[in-house]
């Protein structure tokens, strides 16, 4: 009986350890640095990182773009004057993550 309980416990422990379907790259680190110190260099770095995460996920068969990346990148593009491209990224965010629709719509409405 102990062997069965131990086996079940171990199996449930291993089953709870899952691998994220998302590729974050350096998202957390560069976003923190940018929000802490909004210099042009930090902005260029964060935009480059977001684009590299998106490109990596497009080429990957097992990883998806994490929630928020398309919206963050789109918002930065809009701030840089690339309104149509930025809007397309924000619409992609709403398409992939419908729960983001309310906040993304709010941001898009503020742009108009």
């Amino acid at each position: 009986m102990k062997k069965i309980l131990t086996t079940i416990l171990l199996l449930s422990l291993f089953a709870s350890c899952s691998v994220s379907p998302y590729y974050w790259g350096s998202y957390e680190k560069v976003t923190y640095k940018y929000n802490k110190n909004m210099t042009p260099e930090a902005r260029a770095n964060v935009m480059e990182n977001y684009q590299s995460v998106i490109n990596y996920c497009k080429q990957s068969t097992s990883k998806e773009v994490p929630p928020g990346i398309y919206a963050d990148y789109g918002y930065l593009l809009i701030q840089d004057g690339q309104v149509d491209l930025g809007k397309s990224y924000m619409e992609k965010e709403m398409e992939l993550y419908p729960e983001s629709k309310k906040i993304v719509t709010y941001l898009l409405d503020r742009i108009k």
Side-chain angles (χ1 to χ4, degrees):
M1 185 68 170
K2 277 188 174 182
K3 279 186 175 183
I4 293 173
L5 289 176
T6 303
T7 303
I8 291 172
L9 179 65
L10 286 174
L11 287 175
S12 65
L13 180 66
F14 289 126
S16 67
C17 298
S18 63
V19 177
S20 173
Y22 306 114
Y23 172 74
W24 291 93
S26 300
Y27 174 82
E28 187 175 335
K29 183 173 78 173
V30 298
T31 303
Y32 175 78
K33 283 183 179 180
Y34 174 66
N35 287 324
K36 188 174 179 184
N37 187 15
M38 294 185 173
T39 63
E41 296 82 21
R43 184 182 186 87
N45 190 28
V46 79
M47 289 185 73
E48 181 182 316
N49 181 265
Y50 292 170
Q51 186 61 58
S52 71
V53 168
I54 292 167
N55 289 340
Y56 178 87
C57 293
K58 283 182 179 178
Q59 295 172 357
S60 175
T61 57
S62 62
K63 296 292 182 181
E64 298 176 26
V65 176
I69 297 260
Y70 281 122
D72 286 347
Y73 187 59
Y75 191 71
L76 290 172
L77 288 170
I78 290 168
Q79 288 179 329
D80 281 353
Q82 300 179 51
V83 177
D84 291 337
L85 183 59
K87 283 182 177 181
S88 71
Y89 277 101
M90 293 183 93
E91 288 166 0
K92 182 77 170 172
E93 177 78 22
M94 289 188 294
E95 178 186 319
L96 292 175
Y97 304 104
E99 63 274 13
S100 70
K101 186 174 184 175
K102 190 170 187 175
I103 186 68
V104 173
T105 301
Y106 171 77
L107 292 171
L108 288 172
D109 287 347
R110 292 192 57 151
I111 293 164
K112 295 177 183 176

